[in-house]
């Protein structure tokens, strides 16, 4: 980028959002967004954030993600474009997109984080949106697939359901860098 000089923004979009979820997966697109930061085949759970921090990225400010109805996007704001920073960042993204562990213990630990997000996002504006979608798209997936999902699924889905969603959508043909 010319402004600010010497920095780069990387965006990786996965063509997978809440509209792709099955009834027993409501909320797993968003949950998968969290889980890819929780360990991969070659990067242990506790190491990923440390690696990003060593490169000068702060989780939340410089390394973040979001899930919508149609996509999940991962964002890295690189403080510099030296070879190590760019190569390591791309390696991390590649690991997240193809080799996430979806470890059962890590899933269980993350459930409370997702439940907490649902609680803080359950605002009057969200309730109005739900009512509007129910009125404008009754019986359609759009009105039944808000990205935060269903608390029953979030609290109880077995690891296999996470793996099914991840394996179905986290692959090169559904990714755009």
């Amino acid at each position: 980028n010319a402004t600010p000089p010497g920095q780069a923004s990387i965006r990786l979009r996965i063509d997978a959002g809440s509209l792709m979820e099955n009834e027993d997966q409501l909320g797993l697109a968003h949950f998968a967004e969290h889980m890819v930061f929780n360990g991969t085949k070659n990067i242990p759970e506790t190491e990923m954030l440390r690696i990003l921090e060593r490169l000068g990225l702060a989780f939340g400010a410089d390394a973040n993600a979001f899930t919508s109805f149609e996509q999940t996007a991962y964002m890295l704001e690189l403080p510099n474009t030296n070879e190590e920073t760019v190569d390591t960042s791309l390696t991390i993204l590649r690991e997240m997109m193809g080799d996430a562990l979806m470890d059962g213990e890590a899933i269980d630990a993350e459930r409370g984080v997702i439940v907490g997000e649902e609680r803080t996002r359950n605002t009057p504006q969200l309730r109005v949106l739900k009512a509007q979608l129910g009125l404008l798209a009754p019986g359609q997936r759009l009105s039944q697939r808000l990205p935060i999902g269903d608390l029953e699924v979030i609290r109880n889905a077995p690891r296999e359901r996470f793996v099914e969603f991840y394996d179905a959508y986290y692959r090169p043909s559904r990714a755009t860098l």
Side-chain angles (χ1 to χ4, degrees):
N1 288 340
T3 306
Q7 297 182 10
S9 295
I10 298 177
R11 301 291 184 264
L12 179 64
R13 178 190 183 273
I14 299 295
D15 186 22
S18 59
L19 288 176
M20 287 76 170
E21 297 166 338
N22 295 326
E23 288 297 319
D24 63 354
Q25 295 175 325
L26 299 179
L28 297 193
H30 173 241
F31 210 134
E33 167 205 319
H34 284 236
M35 290 308 301
V36 301
F37 286 101
N38 283 311
T40 67
K41 179 178 159 188
N42 297 303
I43 305 172
E45 178 179 358
T46 57
E47 253 328 277
M48 188 172 296
L49 295 180
R50 287 186 192 138
I51 292 168
L52 291 170
E53 287 170 353
R54 279 195 298 271
L55 296 174
L57 284 80
F59 189 71
D62 302 314
N64 216 326
F66 70 86
T67 301
S68 68
F69 290 107
E70 298 174 334
Q71 68 178 329
T72 302
Y74 298 87
M75 305 162 290
L76 296 178
E77 299 297 334
L78 306 185
N80 61 67
T81 55
N82 68 42
E83 189 173 333
E84 178 191 9
T85 300
V86 173
D87 285 351
T88 302
S89 298
L90 291 174
T91 298
I92 287 172
L93 287 173
R94 192 265 166 252
E95 284 280 317
M96 291 166 60
M97 297 310 113
D99 289 321
L101 295 178
M102 299 289 167
D103 178 73
E105 289 180 14
I107 288 170
D108 288 341
E110 198 71 20
R111 291 181 198 274
V113 173
I114 305 290
V115 169
E117 282 187 13
E118 191 280 338
R119 187 174 40 253
T120 60
R121 293 179 184 178
N122 191 10
T123 62
Q125 294 90 341
L126 181 65
R127 292 190 292 275
V128 167
L129 174 63
K130 286 179 184 179
Q132 286 175 330
L133 290 173
L135 180 66
L136 298 172
Q140 295 181 28
R141 289 178 80 84
L142 183 67
S143 66
Q144 302 161 1
R145 295 289 191 283
L146 287 175
I148 197 65
D150 179 277
L151 287 179
E152 191 66 27
V153 172
I154 291 164
R155 287 184 176 123
N156 299 304
R159 177 185 181 274
E160 294 75 30
R161 229 173 271 150
F162 288 85
V163 172
E164 287 169 9
F165 185 86
Y166 180 80
D167 287 348
Y169 295 103
Y170 281 69
R171 57 180 190 259
S173 63
R174 300 187 74 88
T176 305
L177 181 68

